[in-house]
Amino acid sequence: MSQAAPISLRELCLTFLKIGLTAFGGGMAIVALTERVVVHEKQWIKPEEFLHGLAFGQIIGPFSLNTCTFVGYRLRGVMGGILAAICFLIPSFAIVTGLAWAYLQFRHLDLLKKALHATNPVIVALICSVVLDMGRKQIKDLTTMVVAVAACLLVAIAKAPISLVLLGAAVWALAYAVYQRGR
């Protein structure tokens, strides 16, 4: 899927400016848009590689930014990672600054409160859509289904830290691979 010629820094910057400008809903909604653009539309990286970047991004900090940084780094090295992160952040910074000012000026209006409240179900729907799409691609058998359900239960019900669940999954996958190799 990766192109033979490297992606230009200009195209990389414009792509992440667009993602930063059009992404709405935070976290997984942004990751869904990023995946659609860099994996499906531009075919810069493979789906599995994108998921690896997403997994790395979950370990620390804001994972949508980390995922964009991973993609930029994968395509153009350190400079690509830095530029992808900056270009992804610029629109958000400008929009949030403007919205914060507007909110502070007009926060007393009931219409604004209702409009903000009405967007919540849309965000939940976007996140569910991403989960279903990624699940269909990655959950291929009973073993991966059990791992996915266990990870979901650990995070959602037991409130286990995501980093520990990812570490546990990595250890389990290594042990399972060694077991499979020995058979």
Side-chain angles (χ1 to χ4, degrees), residues 92-171:
S92 297
F93 178 78
I95 291 168
V96 169
T97 300
L99 288 174
W101 175 85
Y103 177 77
L104 291 174
Q105 298 300 311
F106 305 108
R107 67 179 172 262
H108 62 282
L109 298 176
D110 283 337
L111 186 60
L112 178 62
K113 291 177 186 175
K114 289 177 183 176
L116 290 173
H117 184 68
T119 62
N120 292 342
V122 174
I123 303 309
V124 171
L126 287 171
I127 292 169
C128 289
S129 172
V130 171
V131 167
L132 291 173
D133 185 50
M134 287 184 173
R136 273 192 294 265
K137 293 174 188 169
Q138 298 303 315
I139 299 174
K140 299 173 182 169
D141 54 28
L142 182 61
T143 302
T144 53
M145 173 68 81
V146 169
V147 171
V149 169
C152 184
L153 292 173
L154 284 169
V155 172
I157 296 173
K159 305 292 186 213
I162 292 172
S163 57
L164 289 180
V165 173
L166 285 170
L167 179 63
V171 168

Side-chain angles (χ1 to χ4, degrees), residues 28-48:
M28 287 308 294
I30 294 170
V31 168
L33 175 62
T34 305
E35 180 196 23
R36 187 181 55 167
V37 171
V38 302
V39 173
H40 302 292
E41 292 175 13
K42 295 189 179 281
Q43 297 183 344
W44 285 347
I45 62 175
K46 296 178 182 176
E48 297 80 22

